[in-house]
Amino acid sequence: MAPPTNADTKQPVTLAAVIGAHGIAGEVRLKVFAEDFAAHHSFNDGALTLTSLRHGGNGAIARFTQVEDRTAAEALRGTTLTVPRSALPPLAEGEYYHADLLDLPAVTPDGDALGTVVAIDNFGAGDVIEIERPTGKRFMVPMRPEAVPEWSPERLVIDPLFVE
């Protein structure tokens, strides 16, 4: 099965979010959404340049050239760190970028609408897709072939046995 591809290749892809300051020297704590975040050094169209990255107890700890003190680091809280899609490596068969799944409609194998993909989480045992029904109620489905037997740039097909 070919992975979905985002039709808008100019749309930036979020790799991390700043969750707060770390220390007094301008380092920030990050929630990282990428497997190889360190492979990237320029974020948000060059507005932030990564100079160091290390593992922290609550995510990653990063330093950016443009952030000189705790006040500047705190001001970045909530900032997402993006790169152009062209900076990402190509996908292998069966792989996907979370950005490609977000906002896709979810349907049953018969084509009945279930809702829209609103989040992808990983709690340690693989990705879990969160789908919001038109009523606003949400349910989660593991991103495994038995639960999601098919996906494309247009939709995710969900096995009814996994629908709440």
Side-chain angles (χ1 to χ4, degrees):
M1 166 182 346
T5 56
N6 189 335
D8 185 359
T9 58
K10 295 185 188 319
Q11 182 71 24
V13 177
T14 300
L15 298 185
V18 177
I19 57 175
H22 179 79
I24 60 171
E27 291 182 309
V28 296
R29 291 180 295 120
L30 300 177
K31 180 174 183 176
V32 178
F33 310 121
E35 284 185 25
D36 191 10
F37 182 80
H40 305 279
H41 298 285
S42 179
F43 299 91
N44 300 10
D45 293 324
L48 292 169
T49 306
L50 184 68
T51 56
S52 70
L53 180 70
R54 67 182 192 276
H55 179 72
N58 185 5
I61 308 296
R63 180 180 302 279
F64 295 99
T65 303
Q66 298 81 357
V67 183
E68 297 181 3
D69 58 25
R70 184 174 180 89
T71 302
E74 277 295 339
L76 287 178
R77 182 187 298 267
T79 300
T80 57
L81 302 177
T82 63
V83 297
R85 186 176 181 90
S86 61
L88 300 175
L91 294 167
E93 183 71 23
E95 292 183 330
Y96 54 88
Y97 288 121
H98 289 185
D100 293 335
L101 301 180
L102 289 171
D103 299 323
L104 281 181
V107 300
T108 66
D110 293 333
D112 297 330
L114 295 171
T116 304
V117 177
V118 293
I120 297 99
D121 296 304
N122 189 316
F123 302 108
D127 287 343
V128 177
I129 308 300
E130 187 170 355
I131 298 166
E132 184 173 305
R133 291 186 176 276
T135 61
K137 189 173 181 176
R138 294 182 177 194
F139 67 97
M140 298 177 126
V141 175
M143 188 60 177
R144 295 191 319 247
E146 58 272 17
V148 183
E150 176 187 337
W151 77 89
S152 71
E154 292 80 34
R155 68 186 191 157
L156 238 67
V157 176
I158 309 294
D159 186 303
L161 294 175
F162 291 87
V163 176
E164 294 178 10

Short mmCIF file of all heavy atoms in Angstrom, two decimals, residues 103-132:
data_model
loop_
_atom_site.label_atom_id
_atom_site.label_comp_id
_atom_site.label_asym_id
_atom_site.label_seq_id
_atom_site.Cartn_x
_atom_site.Cartn_y
_atom_site.Cartn_z
N ASP A 103 -6.53 15.29 9.60
CA ASP A 103 -7.66 15.85 8.84
C ASP A 103 -8.23 14.91 7.78
O ASP A 103 -9.15 15.29 7.06
CB ASP A 103 -7.31 17.20 8.21
CG ASP A 103 -6.96 18.25 9.25
OD1 ASP A 103 -7.58 18.24 10.33
OD2 ASP A 103 -6.06 19.07 8.99
N LEU A 104 -7.69 13.69 7.67
CA LEU A 104 -8.28 12.74 6.71
C LEU A 104 -9.63 12.25 7.23
O LEU A 104 -9.79 12.03 8.44
CB LEU A 104 -7.38 11.51 6.53
CG LEU A 104 -6.17 11.64 5.64
CD1 LEU A 104 -5.42 10.31 5.57
CD2 LEU A 104 -6.55 12.08 4.25
N PRO A 105 -10.58 12.05 6.34
CA PRO A 105 -11.83 11.42 6.77
C PRO A 105 -11.58 9.94 7.07
O PRO A 105 -10.79 9.28 6.40
CB PRO A 105 -12.76 11.59 5.57
CG PRO A 105 -11.89 11.89 4.41
CD PRO A 105 -10.60 12.45 4.94
N ALA A 106 -12.26 9.45 8.09
CA ALA A 106 -12.21 8.03 8.45
C ALA A 106 -13.54 7.42 8.08
O ALA A 106 -14.60 7.98 8.37
CB ALA A 106 -11.93 7.87 9.94
N VAL A 107 -13.48 6.26 7.42
CA VAL A 107 -14.69 5.59 6.96
C VAL A 107 -14.61 4.10 7.25
O VAL A 107 -13.53 3.57 7.51
CB VAL A 107 -14.91 5.79 5.44
CG1 VAL A 107 -15.05 7.27 5.09
CG2 VAL A 107 -13.78 5.17 4.62
N THR A 108 -15.75 3.43 7.20
CA THR A 108 -15.79 1.97 7.29
C THR A 108 -15.42 1.40 5.93
O THR A 108 -15.40 2.13 4.93
CB THR A 108 -17.19 1.47 7.68
OG1 THR A 108 -18.08 1.78 6.60
CG2 THR A 108 -17.67 2.09 8.98
N PRO A 109 -15.18 0.08 5.83
CA PRO A 109 -14.90 -0.51 4.52
C PRO A 109 -16.05 -0.31 3.51
O PRO A 109 -15.83 -0.31 2.31
CB PRO A 109 -14.70 -2.00 4.84
CG PRO A 109 -14.20 -2.01 6.24
CD PRO A 109 -14.94 -0.88 6.91
N ASP A 110 -17.28 -0.11 4.03
CA ASP A 110 -18.43 0.14 3.14
C ASP A 110 -18.54 1.61 2.74
O ASP A 110 -19.43 1.98 1.99
CB ASP A 110 -19.73 -0.28 3.83
CG ASP A 110 -19.80 -1.78 4.04
OD1 ASP A 110 -19.18 -2.52 3.24
OD2 ASP A 110 -20.48 -2.22 4.99
N GLY A 111 -17.65 2.46 3.28
CA GLY A 111 -17.66 3.88 2.93
C GLY A 111 -18.49 4.75 3.87
O GLY A 111 -18.64 5.95 3.61
N ASP A 112 -19.03 4.18 4.95
CA ASP A 112 -19.80 4.98 5.90
C ASP A 112 -18.86 5.89 6.68
O ASP A 112 -17.84 5.43 7.22
CB ASP A 112 -20.56 4.08 6.88
CG ASP A 112 -21.58 3.20 6.17
OD1 ASP A 112 -22.12 3.63 5.13
OD2 ASP A 112 -21.82 2.07 6.67
N ALA A 113 -19.21 7.16 6.77
CA ALA A 113 -18.37 8.15 7.46
C ALA A 113 -18.32 7.88 8.96
O ALA A 113 -19.34 7.62 9.59
CB ALA A 113 -18.90 9.55 7.20
N LEU A 114 -17.12 7.94 9.51
CA LEU A 114 -16.93 7.77 10.95
C LEU A 114 -16.52 9.08 11.62
O LEU A 114 -16.82 9.32 12.77
CB LEU A 114 -15.85 6.72 11.23
CG LEU A 114 -16.17 5.31 10.80
CD1 LEU A 114 -14.93 4.42 10.93
CD2 LEU A 114 -17.31 4.77 11.65
N GLY A 115 -15.78 9.91 10.89
CA GLY A 115 -15.30 11.16 11.45
C GLY A 115 -14.02 11.58 10.75
O GLY A 115 -13.75 11.18 9.62
N THR A 116 -13.22 12.37 11.48
CA THR A 116 -12.00 12.94 10.93
C THR A 116 -10.84 12.68 11.87
O THR A 116 -10.99 12.77 13.09
CB THR A 116 -12.17 14.46 10.75
OG1 THR A 116 -13.31 14.70 9.93
CG2 THR A 116 -10.96 15.09 10.10
N VAL A 117 -9.65 12.38 11.32
CA VAL A 117 -8.46 12.17 12.14
C VAL A 117 -8.04 13.52 12.72
O VAL A 117 -7.80 14.48 11.98
CB VAL A 117 -7.31 11.56 11.31
CG1 VAL A 117 -6.05 11.43 12.15
CG2 VAL A 117 -7.72 10.22 10.72
N VAL A 118 -7.98 13.59 14.05
CA VAL A 118 -7.62 14.85 14.71
C VAL A 118 -6.29 14.78 15.45
O VAL A 118 -5.72 15.81 15.80
CB VAL A 118 -8.73 15.32 15.68
CG1 VAL A 118 -9.98 15.70 14.90
CG2 VAL A 118 -9.03 14.29 16.73
N ALA A 119 -5.78 13.57 15.70
CA ALA A 119 -4.50 13.44 16.40
C ALA A 119 -3.91 12.06 16.17
O ALA A 119 -4.64 11.11 15.90
CB ALA A 119 -4.68 13.68 17.89
N ILE A 120 -2.60 11.99 16.29
CA ILE A 120 -1.88 10.72 16.26
C ILE A 120 -0.98 10.73 17.49
O ILE A 120 -0.18 11.65 17.66
CB ILE A 120 -1.04 10.54 14.98
CG1 ILE A 120 -1.94 10.52 13.74
CG2 ILE A 120 -0.27 9.23 15.04
CD1 ILE A 120 -2.00 11.80 13.02
N ASP A 121 -1.15 9.75 18.35
CA ASP A 121 -0.36 9.65 19.58
C ASP A 121 0.42 8.35 19.55
O ASP A 121 0.08 7.42 18.84
CB ASP A 121 -1.27 9.66 20.81
CG ASP A 121 -2.01 10.97 20.96
OD1 ASP A 121 -1.34 12.02 21.01
OD2 ASP A 121 -3.26 10.95 21.03
N ASN A 122 1.46 8.31 20.36
CA ASN A 122 2.21 7.08 20.54
C ASN A 122 2.53 6.97 22.02
O ASN A 122 3.30 7.77 22.56
CB ASN A 122 3.49 7.07 19.71
CG ASN A 122 4.15 5.71 19.72
OD1 ASN A 122 4.27 5.07 20.75
ND2 ASN A 122 4.58 5.26 18.56
N PHE A 123 1.93 5.99 22.66
CA PHE A 123 2.10 5.79 24.10
C PHE A 123 3.13 4.69 24.38
O PHE A 123 3.19 4.19 25.49
CB PHE A 123 0.76 5.46 24.74
CG PHE A 123 -0.28 6.53 24.51
CD1 PHE A 123 -1.33 6.32 23.64
CD2 PHE A 123 -0.18 7.76 25.15
CE1 PHE A 123 -2.29 7.30 23.41
CE2 PHE A 123 -1.13 8.75 24.93
CZ PHE A 123 -2.18 8.52 24.07
N GLY A 124 3.89 4.30 23.37
CA GLY A 124 4.95 3.31 23.54
C GLY A 124 4.76 2.02 22.79
O GLY A 124 5.71 1.28 22.58
N ALA A 125 3.55 1.74 22.36
CA ALA A 125 3.29 0.47 21.66
C ALA A 125 2.89 0.70 20.21
O ALA A 125 2.30 -0.16 19.58
CB ALA A 125 2.20 -0.30 22.38
N GLY A 126 3.20 1.83 19.66
CA GLY A 126 2.84 2.15 18.28
C GLY A 126 1.87 3.31 18.22
O GLY A 126 1.31 3.75 19.23
N ASP A 127 1.67 3.82 17.03
CA ASP A 127 0.78 4.96 16.83
C ASP A 127 -0.68 4.60 17.08
O ASP A 127 -1.12 3.50 16.76
CB ASP A 127 0.93 5.52 15.41
CG ASP A 127 2.24 6.26 15.20
OD1 ASP A 127 2.87 6.62 16.21
OD2 ASP A 127 2.61 6.47 14.04
N VAL A 128 -1.39 5.56 17.63
CA VAL A 128 -2.82 5.45 17.87
C VAL A 128 -3.48 6.65 17.21
O VAL A 128 -3.09 7.80 17.45
CB VAL A 128 -3.14 5.43 19.39
CG1 VAL A 128 -4.63 5.38 19.63
CG2 VAL A 128 -2.45 4.26 20.06
N ILE A 129 -4.46 6.38 16.36
CA ILE A 129 -5.16 7.42 15.63
C ILE A 129 -6.38 7.85 16.44
O ILE A 129 -7.18 7.01 16.86
CB ILE A 129 -5.64 6.89 14.24
CG1 ILE A 129 -4.47 6.26 13.48
CG2 ILE A 129 -6.32 7.99 13.44
CD1 ILE A 129 -3.33 7.16 13.19
N GLU A 130 -6.54 9.16 16.63
CA GLU A 130 -7.72 9.68 17.32
C GLU A 130 -8.66 10.28 16.27
O GLU A 130 -8.26 11.11 15.46
CB GLU A 130 -7.33 10.75 18.34
CG GLU A 130 -8.48 11.19 19.19
CD GLU A 130 -8.04 12.06 20.36
OE1 GLU A 130 -6.82 12.25 20.56
OE2 GLU A 130 -8.93 12.55 21.07
N ILE A 131 -9.90 9.81 16.30
CA ILE A 131 -10.90 10.23 15.31
C ILE A 131 -12.03 10.95 16.03
O ILE A 131 -12.53 10.47 17.05
CB ILE A 131 -11.43 9.00 14.55
CG1 ILE A 131 -10.27 8.35 13.79
CG2 ILE A 131 -12.56 9.39 13.61
CD1 ILE A 131 -10.55 6.97 13.29
N GLU A 132 -12.38 12.10 15.48
CA GLU A 132 -13.50 12.86 16.05
C GLU A 132 -14.72 12.68 15.16
O GLU A 132 -14.69 12.91 13.96
CB GLU A 132 -13.15 14.34 16.14
CG GLU A 132 -14.25 15.15 16.81
CD GLU A 132 -13.84 16.58 17.07
OE1 GLU A 132 -12.80 16.78 17.73
OE2 GLU A 132 -14.57 17.48 16.61
#
